[in-house]
Amino acid sequence: MKTYLSMLWLAAAPPHDVAYPARAWATLLDLPDPSGKGARRVNDAISWLEENNFVTVAAQAGLPNRVTLLNELGTGKRYRVPGEVFNKARTKGADLASLAGDRYVQVPPTFWTSGWMATLSAAGTAMFLVLLAEQVGKRDDQELWFSPEVANLRYSLSHDTRSAGLQELRRAGLVTAKRRPVASDVFDVQRFRNVYILHMDALTTTAAVPDKDELARPRKVALRGKSKKLKGLSAP
């Protein structure tokens, strides 16, 4: 997923192809040992993408393989910039429902340039894309929510992946979570659900994901010229 997303970013212009050595992709994704194990992981990813009709790969004597994008749905059809396809069809009066396969979201360049693509796990990256898609047509500060059934049907992500990804995004400061009551009637059983606010402006900061232990560690603060540790005070 990370390799393909990065190729979509770098090969946005026709003819939608790239020819970089595997170690370059491994370095971009901050994989350990980019010239060795990292490069092999990238080559395995490209092989998977080719087998599943997301790219074509052409060997070049003495040069890195040339990888050409195909349709993001894995249909094997040629790649076309989704925005151009969607806008062109809409101007011709096409029914919006028929354009569902051409709808798209834009991932800001800062997702790469600030290091988020390399820093976030696959689960964190997946949930960032999910929330980004859910935010389309909504205010930047609007609370987002989807049921486990909808999440599974629409995105085919397991509960463990969703949970791990959302927790990571919260620790990174990209997402704020709040609990909201579901029932509006005082006589109903009180139930709650988690809602999320995606902070796109946080992408401009240098990527970092504090671990759970770091967040739970008490801070030292200065009181009247002395350094004291306040019990129960933890980093935000």
Short mmCIF file of all heavy atoms in Angstrom, two decimals, residues 32-99:
data_model
loop_
_atom_site.label_atom_id
_atom_site.label_comp_id
_atom_site.label_asym_id
_atom_site.label_seq_id
_atom_site.Cartn_x
_atom_site.Cartn_y
_atom_site.Cartn_z
N PRO A 32 14.36 -0.28 7.19
CA PRO A 32 15.70 -0.65 7.65
C PRO A 32 16.51 -1.29 6.52
O PRO A 32 15.95 -2.01 5.69
CB PRO A 32 15.42 -1.66 8.78
CG PRO A 32 14.00 -1.41 9.19
CD PRO A 32 13.29 -0.96 7.95
N ASP A 33 17.82 -1.02 6.50
CA ASP A 33 18.72 -1.58 5.52
C ASP A 33 18.18 -1.36 4.10
O ASP A 33 17.85 -2.33 3.39
CB ASP A 33 18.92 -3.08 5.79
CG ASP A 33 19.98 -3.71 4.91
OD1 ASP A 33 20.78 -2.97 4.30
OD2 ASP A 33 19.99 -4.96 4.79
N PRO A 34 18.07 -0.10 3.66
CA PRO A 34 17.45 0.19 2.36
C PRO A 34 18.13 -0.46 1.16
O PRO A 34 17.46 -0.75 0.15
CB PRO A 34 17.52 1.72 2.26
CG PRO A 34 18.55 2.13 3.24
CD PRO A 34 18.52 1.12 4.34
N SER A 35 19.43 -0.71 1.25
CA SER A 35 20.12 -1.34 0.12
C SER A 35 20.03 -2.86 0.15
O SER A 35 20.36 -3.52 -0.86
CB SER A 35 21.60 -0.93 0.12
OG SER A 35 21.73 0.47 -0.10
N GLY A 36 19.59 -3.42 1.26
CA GLY A 36 19.49 -4.87 1.40
C GLY A 36 18.07 -5.34 1.62
O GLY A 36 17.28 -5.48 0.69
N LYS A 37 17.73 -5.57 2.90
CA LYS A 37 16.39 -6.08 3.22
C LYS A 37 15.30 -5.10 2.79
O LYS A 37 14.23 -5.52 2.35
CB LYS A 37 16.29 -6.35 4.72
CG LYS A 37 17.17 -7.49 5.21
CD LYS A 37 17.01 -7.72 6.70
CE LYS A 37 17.89 -8.86 7.19
NZ LYS A 37 17.75 -9.07 8.66
N GLY A 38 15.56 -3.80 2.95
CA GLY A 38 14.55 -2.81 2.55
C GLY A 38 14.25 -2.89 1.07
O GLY A 38 13.08 -2.86 0.65
N ALA A 39 15.30 -3.01 0.23
CA ALA A 39 15.11 -3.11 -1.22
C ALA A 39 14.34 -4.39 -1.57
O ALA A 39 13.48 -4.38 -2.48
CB ALA A 39 16.46 -3.09 -1.92
N ARG A 40 14.63 -5.49 -0.87
CA ARG A 40 13.90 -6.74 -1.15
C ARG A 40 12.43 -6.61 -0.81
O ARG A 40 11.56 -7.13 -1.52
CB ARG A 40 14.55 -7.89 -0.38
CG ARG A 40 15.90 -8.33 -0.95
CD ARG A 40 16.34 -9.66 -0.38
NE ARG A 40 16.73 -9.56 1.01
CZ ARG A 40 17.94 -9.21 1.43
NH1 ARG A 40 18.89 -8.93 0.55
NH2 ARG A 40 18.24 -9.17 2.72
N ARG A 41 12.14 -5.91 0.28
CA ARG A 41 10.73 -5.69 0.64
C ARG A 41 10.01 -4.88 -0.44
O ARG A 41 8.85 -5.16 -0.78
CB ARG A 41 10.63 -4.98 1.99
CG ARG A 41 10.97 -5.85 3.19
CD ARG A 41 10.84 -5.08 4.50
NE ARG A 41 9.47 -4.61 4.72
CZ ARG A 41 9.12 -3.82 5.73
NH1 ARG A 41 10.04 -3.41 6.59
NH2 ARG A 41 7.87 -3.45 5.87
N VAL A 42 10.69 -3.88 -0.96
CA VAL A 42 10.09 -3.06 -2.03
C VAL A 42 9.87 -3.91 -3.28
O VAL A 42 8.81 -3.84 -3.91
CB VAL A 42 11.00 -1.85 -2.34
CG1 VAL A 42 10.53 -1.17 -3.64
CG2 VAL A 42 10.98 -0.86 -1.19
N ASN A 43 10.87 -4.71 -3.66
CA ASN A 43 10.71 -5.56 -4.84
C ASN A 43 9.57 -6.56 -4.66
O ASN A 43 8.83 -6.84 -5.61
CB ASN A 43 12.01 -6.30 -5.13
CG ASN A 43 13.07 -5.40 -5.75
OD1 ASN A 43 12.74 -4.47 -6.50
ND2 ASN A 43 14.33 -5.66 -5.45
N ASP A 44 9.41 -7.09 -3.44
CA ASP A 44 8.29 -7.99 -3.17
C ASP A 44 6.96 -7.25 -3.32
O ASP A 44 5.98 -7.80 -3.86
CB ASP A 44 8.39 -8.57 -1.75
CG ASP A 44 9.52 -9.58 -1.61
OD1 ASP A 44 10.00 -10.07 -2.64
OD2 ASP A 44 9.91 -9.87 -0.46
N ALA A 45 6.93 -6.00 -2.85
CA ALA A 45 5.70 -5.21 -2.96
C ALA A 45 5.36 -4.93 -4.42
O ALA A 45 4.20 -5.04 -4.84
CB ALA A 45 5.86 -3.89 -2.20
N ILE A 46 6.37 -4.60 -5.22
CA ILE A 46 6.14 -4.32 -6.64
C ILE A 46 5.67 -5.58 -7.36
O ILE A 46 4.79 -5.53 -8.22
CB ILE A 46 7.41 -3.74 -7.28
CG1 ILE A 46 7.71 -2.35 -6.69
CG2 ILE A 46 7.26 -3.64 -8.80
CD1 ILE A 46 9.01 -1.74 -7.17
N SER A 47 6.25 -6.72 -7.00
CA SER A 47 5.81 -7.98 -7.60
C SER A 47 4.35 -8.25 -7.28
O SER A 47 3.57 -8.70 -8.14
CB SER A 47 6.69 -9.14 -7.10
OG SER A 47 8.02 -8.99 -7.54
N TRP A 48 3.95 -7.99 -6.02
CA TRP A 48 2.54 -8.19 -5.63
C TRP A 48 1.63 -7.25 -6.42
O TRP A 48 0.57 -7.65 -6.91
CB TRP A 48 2.38 -7.95 -4.14
CG TRP A 48 1.00 -8.27 -3.62
CD1 TRP A 48 0.59 -9.44 -3.07
CD2 TRP A 48 -0.14 -7.40 -3.63
NE1 TRP A 48 -0.74 -9.36 -2.72
CE2 TRP A 48 -1.23 -8.12 -3.06
CE3 TRP A 48 -0.36 -6.10 -4.06
CZ2 TRP A 48 -2.50 -7.58 -2.92
CZ3 TRP A 48 -1.64 -5.56 -3.93
CH2 TRP A 48 -2.68 -6.29 -3.37
N LEU A 49 2.05 -5.99 -6.55
CA LEU A 49 1.25 -5.02 -7.30
C LEU A 49 1.10 -5.44 -8.77
O LEU A 49 0.02 -5.29 -9.36
CB LEU A 49 1.90 -3.64 -7.22
CG LEU A 49 1.87 -2.95 -5.85
CD1 LEU A 49 2.76 -1.71 -5.86
CD2 LEU A 49 0.45 -2.58 -5.45
N GLU A 50 2.16 -5.99 -9.33
CA GLU A 50 2.08 -6.45 -10.72
C GLU A 50 1.15 -7.65 -10.85
O GLU A 50 0.32 -7.72 -11.76
CB GLU A 50 3.47 -6.81 -11.23
CG GLU A 50 3.49 -7.23 -12.69
CD GLU A 50 4.88 -7.63 -13.17
OE1 GLU A 50 5.72 -8.03 -12.32
OE2 GLU A 50 5.13 -7.56 -14.39
N GLU A 51 1.28 -8.61 -9.94
CA GLU A 51 0.44 -9.82 -9.99
C GLU A 51 -1.04 -9.49 -9.82
O GLU A 51 -1.90 -10.20 -10.34
CB GLU A 51 0.87 -10.79 -8.89
CG GLU A 51 2.25 -11.40 -9.12
CD GLU A 51 2.73 -12.19 -7.93
OE1 GLU A 51 1.97 -12.28 -6.93
OE2 GLU A 51 3.87 -12.70 -7.96
N ASN A 52 -1.33 -8.40 -9.10
CA ASN A 52 -2.72 -8.04 -8.84
C ASN A 52 -3.21 -6.87 -9.70
O ASN A 52 -4.20 -6.23 -9.40
CB ASN A 52 -2.89 -7.69 -7.35
CG ASN A 52 -2.80 -8.92 -6.47
OD1 ASN A 52 -3.79 -9.61 -6.24
ND2 ASN A 52 -1.60 -9.22 -5.98
N ASN A 53 -2.50 -6.63 -10.80
CA ASN A 53 -2.95 -5.69 -11.84
C ASN A 53 -3.03 -4.23 -11.40
O ASN A 53 -3.88 -3.48 -11.88
CB ASN A 53 -4.31 -6.13 -12.41
CG ASN A 53 -4.26 -7.48 -13.08
OD1 ASN A 53 -3.32 -7.78 -13.82
ND2 ASN A 53 -5.25 -8.31 -12.81
N PHE A 54 -2.13 -3.83 -10.49
CA PHE A 54 -2.06 -2.43 -10.12
C PHE A 54 -0.96 -1.70 -10.89
O PHE A 54 -1.00 -0.48 -11.00
CB PHE A 54 -1.82 -2.28 -8.62
CG PHE A 54 -3.01 -2.64 -7.77
CD1 PHE A 54 -3.08 -3.87 -7.15
CD2 PHE A 54 -4.06 -1.75 -7.62
CE1 PHE A 54 -4.19 -4.21 -6.36
CE2 PHE A 54 -5.16 -2.07 -6.83
CZ PHE A 54 -5.23 -3.31 -6.21
N VAL A 55 0.02 -2.44 -11.41
CA VAL A 55 1.11 -1.85 -12.18
C VAL A 55 1.56 -2.86 -13.24
O VAL A 55 1.26 -4.06 -13.15
CB VAL A 55 2.32 -1.48 -11.30
CG1 VAL A 55 1.94 -0.48 -10.21
CG2 VAL A 55 2.96 -2.72 -10.69
N THR A 56 2.30 -2.35 -14.22
CA THR A 56 3.05 -3.21 -15.13
C THR A 56 4.54 -2.91 -14.89
O THR A 56 4.90 -1.78 -14.54
CB THR A 56 2.70 -2.98 -16.59
OG1 THR A 56 2.99 -1.62 -16.95
CG2 THR A 56 1.22 -3.26 -16.84
N VAL A 57 5.37 -3.90 -15.08
CA VAL A 57 6.80 -3.75 -14.85
C VAL A 57 7.55 -4.16 -16.11
O VAL A 57 7.34 -5.25 -16.65
CB VAL A 57 7.27 -4.62 -13.66
CG1 VAL A 57 8.77 -4.45 -13.44
CG2 VAL A 57 6.50 -4.26 -12.39
N ALA A 58 8.42 -3.27 -16.60
CA ALA A 58 9.21 -3.53 -17.79
C ALA A 58 10.69 -3.45 -17.43
O ALA A 58 11.14 -2.45 -16.86
CB ALA A 58 8.88 -2.54 -18.90
N ALA A 59 11.44 -4.51 -17.76
CA ALA A 59 12.87 -4.54 -17.47
C ALA A 59 13.62 -3.61 -18.42
O ALA A 59 13.23 -3.45 -19.59
CB ALA A 59 13.39 -5.97 -17.60
N GLN A 60 14.66 -2.98 -17.90
CA GLN A 60 15.51 -2.10 -18.69
C GLN A 60 16.97 -2.49 -18.46
O GLN A 60 17.43 -2.48 -17.31
CB GLN A 60 15.30 -0.62 -18.30
CG GLN A 60 13.88 -0.13 -18.48
CD GLN A 60 13.76 1.35 -18.21
OE1 GLN A 60 13.49 2.14 -19.11
NE2 GLN A 60 13.98 1.77 -16.97
N ALA A 61 17.66 -2.84 -19.53
CA ALA A 61 19.04 -3.31 -19.41
C ALA A 61 19.91 -2.25 -18.74
O ALA A 61 20.01 -1.12 -19.22
CB ALA A 61 19.59 -3.65 -20.79
N GLY A 62 20.54 -2.62 -17.63
CA GLY A 62 21.44 -1.73 -16.94
C GLY A 62 20.78 -0.61 -16.17
O GLY A 62 21.46 0.24 -15.60
N LEU A 63 19.45 -0.60 -16.13
CA LEU A 63 18.70 0.45 -15.44
C LEU A 63 17.63 -0.18 -14.55
O LEU A 63 17.25 -1.34 -14.75
CB LEU A 63 18.03 1.39 -16.45
CG LEU A 63 18.96 2.22 -17.35
CD1 LEU A 63 18.13 2.93 -18.42
CD2 LEU A 63 19.75 3.22 -16.53
N PRO A 64 17.11 0.57 -13.58
CA PRO A 64 16.00 0.05 -12.78
C PRO A 64 14.78 -0.26 -13.65
O PRO A 64 14.58 0.37 -14.71
CB PRO A 64 15.70 1.19 -11.79
CG PRO A 64 16.94 2.00 -11.76
CD PRO A 64 17.54 1.91 -13.13
N ASN A 65 13.98 -1.22 -13.23
CA ASN A 65 12.75 -1.54 -13.95
C ASN A 65 11.84 -0.32 -14.04
O ASN A 65 11.79 0.50 -13.12
CB ASN A 65 12.00 -2.68 -13.26
CG ASN A 65 12.73 -3.99 -13.36
OD1 ASN A 65 13.62 -4.16 -14.19
ND2 ASN A 65 12.38 -4.94 -12.50
N ARG A 66 11.14 -0.22 -15.18
CA ARG A 66 10.17 0.86 -15.33
C ARG A 66 8.80 0.35 -14.89
O ARG A 66 8.28 -0.63 -15.43
CB ARG A 66 10.11 1.35 -16.77
CG ARG A 66 9.13 2.53 -16.98
CD ARG A 66 9.42 3.26 -18.27
NE ARG A 66 10.75 3.85 -18.25
CZ ARG A 66 11.05 5.00 -17.66
NH1 ARG A 66 10.10 5.68 -17.02
NH2 ARG A 66 12.27 5.47 -17.73
N VAL A 67 8.22 1.03 -13.91
CA VAL A 67 6.92 0.63 -13.35
C VAL A 67 5.87 1.63 -13.82
O VAL A 67 6.02 2.84 -13.63
CB VAL A 67 6.96 0.60 -11.81
CG1 VAL A 67 5.61 0.16 -11.25
CG2 VAL A 67 8.06 -0.33 -11.32
N THR A 68 4.82 1.12 -14.46
CA THR A 68 3.75 1.97 -14.99
C THR A 68 2.46 1.71 -14.22
O THR A 68 2.07 0.55 -14.02
CB THR A 68 3.51 1.70 -16.48
OG1 THR A 68 4.72 1.93 -17.20
CG2 THR A 68 2.42 2.62 -17.04
N LEU A 69 1.82 2.76 -13.78
CA LEU A 69 0.59 2.64 -13.00
C LEU A 69 -0.55 2.09 -13.84
O LEU A 69 -0.67 2.39 -15.03
CB LEU A 69 0.17 4.00 -12.44
CG LEU A 69 1.13 4.68 -11.47
CD1 LEU A 69 0.57 6.05 -11.07
CD2 LEU A 69 1.36 3.83 -10.23
N LEU A 70 -1.41 1.31 -13.19
CA LEU A 70 -2.68 0.88 -13.77
C LEU A 70 -3.80 1.38 -12.88
O LEU A 70 -3.56 1.94 -11.81
CB LEU A 70 -2.73 -0.65 -13.89
CG LEU A 70 -1.72 -1.29 -14.85
CD1 LEU A 70 -1.83 -2.82 -14.79
CD2 LEU A 70 -1.93 -0.80 -16.28
N ASN A 71 -5.03 1.17 -13.30
CA ASN A 71 -6.19 1.62 -12.56
C ASN A 71 -6.14 1.16 -11.10
O ASN A 71 -5.80 0.01 -10.81
CB ASN A 71 -7.47 1.09 -13.23
CG ASN A 71 -8.72 1.61 -12.58
OD1 ASN A 71 -9.19 1.06 -11.59
ND2 ASN A 71 -9.29 2.66 -13.12
N GLU A 72 -6.50 2.06 -10.18
CA GLU A 72 -6.40 1.78 -8.74
C GLU A 72 -7.34 0.68 -8.26
O GLU A 72 -7.21 0.18 -7.15
CB GLU A 72 -6.69 3.03 -7.90
CG GLU A 72 -5.84 4.24 -8.27
CD GLU A 72 -6.60 5.20 -9.16
OE1 GLU A 72 -7.16 4.72 -10.18
OE2 GLU A 72 -6.63 6.39 -8.86
N LEU A 73 -8.32 0.30 -9.08
CA LEU A 73 -9.26 -0.75 -8.69
C LEU A 73 -8.71 -2.15 -8.99
O LEU A 73 -9.38 -3.14 -8.70
CB LEU A 73 -10.60 -0.56 -9.41
CG LEU A 73 -11.35 0.74 -9.09
CD1 LEU A 73 -12.65 0.81 -9.90
CD2 LEU A 73 -11.65 0.84 -7.60
N GLY A 74 -7.53 -2.22 -9.57
CA GLY A 74 -6.95 -3.51 -9.88
C GLY A 74 -7.61 -4.20 -11.06
O GLY A 74 -7.56 -5.44 -11.17
N THR A 75 -8.19 -3.42 -11.96
CA THR A 75 -8.87 -3.99 -13.12
C THR A 75 -7.91 -4.30 -14.26
O THR A 75 -8.28 -4.99 -15.21
CB THR A 75 -9.94 -3.02 -13.64
OG1 THR A 75 -9.30 -1.78 -14.04
CG2 THR A 75 -10.97 -2.72 -12.57
N GLY A 76 -6.70 -3.77 -14.19
CA GLY A 76 -5.75 -3.95 -15.27
C GLY A 76 -5.87 -2.92 -16.36
O GLY A 76 -5.07 -2.92 -17.31
N LYS A 77 -6.84 -2.02 -16.25
CA LYS A 77 -7.00 -0.97 -17.25
C LYS A 77 -5.93 0.11 -17.04
O LYS A 77 -5.34 0.21 -15.98
CB LYS A 77 -8.39 -0.35 -17.16
CG LYS A 77 -9.52 -1.31 -17.48
CD LYS A 77 -10.87 -0.60 -17.38
CE LYS A 77 -12.02 -1.55 -17.73
NZ LYS A 77 -13.34 -0.87 -17.62
N ARG A 78 -5.72 0.92 -18.05
CA ARG A 78 -4.70 1.95 -17.95
C ARG A 78 -5.10 2.98 -16.89
O ARG A 78 -6.29 3.19 -16.60
CB ARG A 78 -4.48 2.64 -19.30
CG ARG A 78 -5.63 3.53 -19.77
CD ARG A 78 -5.30 4.13 -21.14
NE ARG A 78 -6.36 5.01 -21.60
CZ ARG A 78 -6.41 6.32 -21.33
NH1 ARG A 78 -5.46 6.87 -20.58
NH2 ARG A 78 -7.39 7.06 -21.80
N TYR A 79 -4.09 3.61 -16.34
CA TYR A 79 -4.33 4.59 -15.29
C TYR A 79 -4.75 5.91 -15.89
O TYR A 79 -4.19 6.39 -16.89
CB TYR A 79 -3.05 4.80 -14.46
CG TYR A 79 -3.20 5.85 -13.39
CD1 TYR A 79 -3.83 5.56 -12.18
CD2 TYR A 79 -2.74 7.15 -13.60
CE1 TYR A 79 -3.97 6.52 -11.21
CE2 TYR A 79 -2.89 8.13 -12.62
CZ TYR A 79 -3.50 7.81 -11.43
OH TYR A 79 -3.66 8.76 -10.47
N ARG A 80 -5.75 6.51 -15.29
CA ARG A 80 -6.19 7.86 -15.66
C ARG A 80 -6.36 8.67 -14.38
O ARG A 80 -6.85 8.16 -13.38
CB ARG A 80 -7.51 7.83 -16.43
CG ARG A 80 -7.45 7.10 -17.76
CD ARG A 80 -8.70 7.29 -18.58
NE ARG A 80 -9.87 6.75 -17.91
CZ ARG A 80 -11.12 6.96 -18.33
NH1 ARG A 80 -11.36 7.71 -19.39
NH2 ARG A 80 -12.13 6.42 -17.68
N VAL A 81 -5.92 9.92 -14.42
CA VAL A 81 -6.04 10.77 -13.24
C VAL A 81 -7.50 10.87 -12.84
O VAL A 81 -8.34 11.31 -13.64
CB VAL A 81 -5.46 12.17 -13.51
CG1 VAL A 81 -5.64 13.07 -12.29
CG2 VAL A 81 -3.98 12.07 -13.88
N PRO A 82 -7.87 10.45 -11.63
CA PRO A 82 -9.30 10.38 -11.25
C PRO A 82 -10.01 11.72 -11.31
O PRO A 82 -11.18 11.79 -11.66
CB PRO A 82 -9.25 9.81 -9.83
CG PRO A 82 -7.87 10.10 -9.34
CD PRO A 82 -6.99 10.02 -10.54
N GLY A 83 -9.34 12.79 -10.96
CA GLY A 83 -10.00 14.09 -11.00
C GLY A 83 -10.43 14.49 -12.38
O GLY A 83 -11.53 15.00 -12.59
N GLU A 84 -9.58 14.22 -13.36
CA GLU A 84 -9.92 14.55 -14.75
C GLU A 84 -11.09 13.71 -15.23
O GLU A 84 -11.99 14.21 -15.91
CB GLU A 84 -8.70 14.34 -15.63
CG GLU A 84 -7.53 15.27 -15.33
CD GLU A 84 -6.32 14.96 -16.18
OE1 GLU A 84 -6.41 14.05 -17.03
OE2 GLU A 84 -5.28 15.63 -16.00
N VAL A 85 -11.06 12.43 -14.89
CA VAL A 85 -12.14 11.52 -15.31
C VAL A 85 -13.47 11.96 -14.69
O VAL A 85 -14.50 12.06 -15.37
CB VAL A 85 -11.82 10.07 -14.89
CG1 VAL A 85 -13.00 9.15 -15.21
CG2 VAL A 85 -10.56 9.59 -15.59
N PHE A 86 -13.45 12.23 -13.39
CA PHE A 86 -14.68 12.59 -12.68
C PHE A 86 -15.25 13.90 -13.20
O PHE A 86 -16.45 14.00 -13.50
CB PHE A 86 -14.38 12.70 -11.18
CG PHE A 86 -15.59 12.97 -10.34
CD1 PHE A 86 -16.43 11.95 -9.95
CD2 PHE A 86 -15.90 14.27 -9.94
CE1 PHE A 86 -17.55 12.19 -9.16
CE2 PHE A 86 -17.01 14.53 -9.16
CZ PHE A 86 -17.84 13.48 -8.78
N ASN A 87 -14.41 14.92 -13.34
CA ASN A 87 -14.89 16.23 -13.78
C ASN A 87 -15.37 16.21 -15.22
O ASN A 87 -16.37 16.87 -15.56
CB ASN A 87 -13.78 17.27 -13.60
CG ASN A 87 -13.44 17.51 -12.14
OD1 ASN A 87 -14.29 17.37 -11.27
ND2 ASN A 87 -12.19 17.86 -11.86
N LYS A 88 -14.69 15.46 -16.06
CA LYS A 88 -15.11 15.37 -17.46
C LYS A 88 -16.47 14.70 -17.58
O LYS A 88 -17.35 15.17 -18.31
CB LYS A 88 -14.07 14.60 -18.26
CG LYS A 88 -14.36 14.53 -19.75
CD LYS A 88 -13.24 13.82 -20.49
CE LYS A 88 -13.53 13.75 -21.98
NZ LYS A 88 -12.42 13.05 -22.71
N ALA A 89 -16.67 13.61 -16.84
CA ALA A 89 -17.95 12.90 -16.89
C ALA A 89 -19.07 13.74 -16.30
O ALA A 89 -20.20 13.74 -16.79
CB ALA A 89 -17.84 11.57 -16.16
N ARG A 90 -18.76 14.50 -15.25
CA ARG A 90 -19.79 15.31 -14.61
C ARG A 90 -20.24 16.45 -15.52
O ARG A 90 -21.44 16.78 -15.55
CB ARG A 90 -19.26 15.87 -13.29
CG ARG A 90 -20.31 16.58 -12.45
CD ARG A 90 -19.81 16.88 -11.06
NE ARG A 90 -18.60 17.69 -11.07
CZ ARG A 90 -17.99 18.12 -9.97
NH1 ARG A 90 -18.47 17.80 -8.79
NH2 ARG A 90 -16.89 18.84 -10.05
N THR A 91 -19.32 17.03 -16.27
CA THR A 91 -19.70 18.11 -17.18
C THR A 91 -20.58 17.61 -18.32
O THR A 91 -21.31 18.38 -18.93
CB THR A 91 -18.45 18.79 -17.77
OG1 THR A 91 -17.63 17.81 -18.42
CG2 THR A 91 -17.65 19.47 -16.67
N LYS A 92 -20.50 16.31 -18.60
CA LYS A 92 -21.34 15.73 -19.65
C LYS A 92 -22.70 15.31 -19.11
O LYS A 92 -23.51 14.74 -19.84
CB LYS A 92 -20.64 14.53 -20.27
CG LYS A 92 -19.42 14.91 -21.11
CD LYS A 92 -18.82 13.68 -21.76
CE LYS A 92 -17.64 14.05 -22.65
NZ LYS A 92 -17.05 12.86 -23.31
N GLY A 93 -22.95 15.59 -17.83
CA GLY A 93 -24.25 15.28 -17.25
C GLY A 93 -24.40 13.86 -16.76
O GLY A 93 -25.53 13.38 -16.58
N ALA A 94 -23.30 13.16 -16.54
CA ALA A 94 -23.38 11.79 -16.06
C ALA A 94 -23.97 11.75 -14.65
O ALA A 94 -23.76 12.67 -13.84
CB ALA A 94 -22.00 11.14 -16.06
N ASP A 95 -24.72 10.70 -14.37
CA ASP A 95 -25.30 10.52 -13.04
C ASP A 95 -24.19 10.31 -12.03
O ASP A 95 -23.25 9.53 -12.25
CB ASP A 95 -26.24 9.31 -13.04
CG ASP A 95 -26.86 9.08 -11.67
OD1 ASP A 95 -27.51 10.00 -11.15
OD2 ASP A 95 -26.65 7.98 -11.13
N LEU A 96 -24.25 11.03 -10.87
CA LEU A 96 -23.19 10.95 -9.88
C LEU A 96 -23.00 9.53 -9.35
O LEU A 96 -21.89 9.14 -9.02
CB LEU A 96 -23.49 11.92 -8.73
CG LEU A 96 -23.40 13.41 -9.05
CD1 LEU A 96 -23.70 14.23 -7.81
CD2 LEU A 96 -22.02 13.75 -9.59
N ALA A 97 -24.10 8.78 -9.27
CA ALA A 97 -23.99 7.41 -8.77
C ALA A 97 -23.11 6.57 -9.69
O ALA A 97 -22.39 5.67 -9.23
CB ALA A 97 -25.38 6.79 -8.65
N SER A 98 -23.14 6.85 -10.98
CA SER A 98 -22.34 6.08 -11.93
C SER A 98 -20.86 6.45 -11.86
O SER A 98 -20.02 5.76 -12.44
CB SER A 98 -22.85 6.31 -13.35
OG SER A 98 -22.63 7.66 -13.76
N LEU A 99 -20.55 7.54 -11.17
CA LEU A 99 -19.16 8.00 -11.07
C LEU A 99 -18.50 7.57 -9.77
O LEU A 99 -17.40 8.03 -9.46
CB LEU A 99 -19.12 9.53 -11.18
CG LEU A 99 -19.67 10.14 -12.47
CD1 LEU A 99 -19.64 11.66 -12.37
CD2 LEU A 99 -18.86 9.68 -13.66
#
